Amino acid sequence: MIVFLMSLSQSIMAARVDFKSFKLIGSPPNYHVETSVSFELTDHLKNALLKGVALNARIQFRLGEHRNWWFNGDTSLKTIRFTLKYHALSQHYLLSRLDTDENWNFASLSAALRKLGETRRYKLPKIAKSAETLRDDNYYIFGVADIVPESLRLPLKIQSLFSDEYSLTSEGVLWPLP
């Protein structure tokens, strides 16, 4: 029984979502982002995917502002949404990017997750602040990524608040504006 608990904790520990690289290109108010996000699924999420449950992933970009006397503020800039499904008949993984209606299919889960994490020359919307305001050191771009099953029933929604087995969220990455 102890061996089972250790292997379960090790499989949960290995599963994570991490930003491997984050690059901000451009000048105010036009910026492009290039990211590489590593998605490593828990056994529960892999099994759910193989049994027909779609996984929803998103990569969010926010404009943050450092504040001295209060919590930092942030404004949503853009969210890239994906859906990952497994097609049992063809034994392929189907990846859809919802904002551009692009679709890909892959023979392996690792290839699908690699494509899911790649964002190249992604144009952020124009930032409404003036160029002089953005050049001071108070503003930054904040990125965060997550992946969750398409539908969790109520008991699992509550349980997902306390466990990374049912949903995975990355630590945020901050990038100062150039």
Side-chain angles (χ1 to χ4, degrees):
M1 183 162 160
I2 294 172
V3 175
F4 172 71
L5 291 176
M6 288 186 350
S7 66
L8 178 63
S9 66
Q10 288 172 350
S11 70
I12 291 173
M13 293 294 287
R16 64 178 185 255
V17 177
D18 284 328
F19 277 87
K20 297 297 181 191
S21 67
F22 189 94
K23 188 175 180 183
L24 187 63
I25 305 164
S27 60
N30 300 311
Y31 292 103
H32 290 83
V33 175
E34 290 189 6
T35 63
S36 176
V37 181
S38 171
F39 288 92
E40 297 173 18
L41 302 181
T42 63
D43 290 337
H44 174 76
L45 290 176
K46 287 178 189 175
N47 290 335
L49 184 62
L50 292 175
K51 292 181 180 178
V53 176
L55 300 181
N56 292 329
R58 61 185 177 169
I59 302 173
Q60 299 178 44
F61 299 105
R62 304 179 74 75
L63 175 66
E65 177 184 8
H66 291 291
R67 295 183 182 158
N68 292 332
W69 296 98
W70 197 247
F71 297 110
N72 289 347
D74 63 4
T75 306
S76 179
L77 290 176
K78 198 71 172 176
T79 301
I80 306 172
R81 296 180 189 279
F82 295 92
T83 300
L84 179 62
K85 298 176 183 176
Y86 179 70
H87 190 262
L89 187 60
S90 66
Q91 297 181 346
H92 275 75
Y93 295 89
L94 309 172
L95 179 64
S96 301
R97 185 168 160 181
L98 302 178
D99 62 330
T100 60
D101 291 329
E102 292 178 275
N103 298 292
W104 302 273
N105 59 17
F106 300 93
S108 71
L109 179 59
S110 61
L113 293 175
R114 197 170 28 259
K115 179 64 177 174
L116 171 63
E118 289 180 1
T119 305
R120 302 284 173 238
R121 302 286 300 171
Y122 182 73
K123 186 175 181 177
L124 294 176
K126 288 188 179 185
I127 298 174
K129 310 250 185 236
S130 70
E132 284 80 32
T133 304
L134 290 175
R135 283 202 177 102
D136 66 16
D137 293 335
N138 288 336
Y139 291 92
Y140 56 89
I141 299 294
F142 178 72
V144 67
D146 62 2
I147 189 164
V148 297
E150 189 169 69
S151 62
L152 284 177
R153 289 187 225 128
L154 186 59
L156 292 180
K157 281 186 183 180
I158 294 169
Q159 192 172 358
S160 72
L161 297 174
F162 304 105
S163 170
D164 287 342
E165 189 174 355
Y166 301 102
S167 65
L168 299 171
T169 302
S170 72
E171 291 185 15
V173 62
L174 271 75
W175 198 261
L177 295 178

